[in-house]
Amino acid sequence: QDLSGQHRQQQFADRLRDRFKVASSFEKGRLATWLYDRYQAGDFTAAQLRTAFGMNVTQFNSFVTRIQTLRDHYMALQAEQPE
């Protein structure tokens, strides 16, 4: 079995895309929050994510904007939850 870095990245991207397709809005927000936070923390570079998701720079910039928006909505919902 090929376990090269690029192969693992592609598997990760495929699984994440599959989860997004069937996820509720809340779950999409949770996934987007996790991914955006990992990107901001430097766990994934832009180049790694572009490669994993098969995006060019313009597509990736739109993707980051989208996941940031989903994250913001998710965080707002979390803030409204009673303790």
Side-chain angles (χ1 to χ4, degrees), residues 12 35 39 44-55 60 63:
F12 166 75
L35 184 59
Y39 171 59
F44 302 119
T45 67
Q48 287 172 320
L49 291 172
R50 281 196 316 268
T51 299
F53 288 96
M55 296 178 189
F60 179 74
F63 175 73

Side-chain angles (χ1 to χ4, degrees), residues 12 16 29-39 44 71:
F12 166 75
L16 189 59
R30 191 182 70 78
L31 292 169
T33 297
W34 179 85
L35 184 59
Y36 184 80
D37 289 349
R38 299 288 55 81
Y39 171 59
F44 302 119
R71 179 191 182 279

Side-chain angles (χ1 to χ4, degrees), residues 25-26 28-30 32-33 65-81:
S25 294
F26 187 80
K28 285 179 184 176
R30 191 182 70 78
T33 297
T65 299
R66 180 170 178 247
I67 64 171
Q68 185 176 15
T69 299
L70 287 169
R71 179 191 182 279
D72 291 347
H73 289 292
Y74 175 79
M75 297 303 287
L77 287 173
Q78 290 297 95
E80 292 174 7
Q81 297 296 316

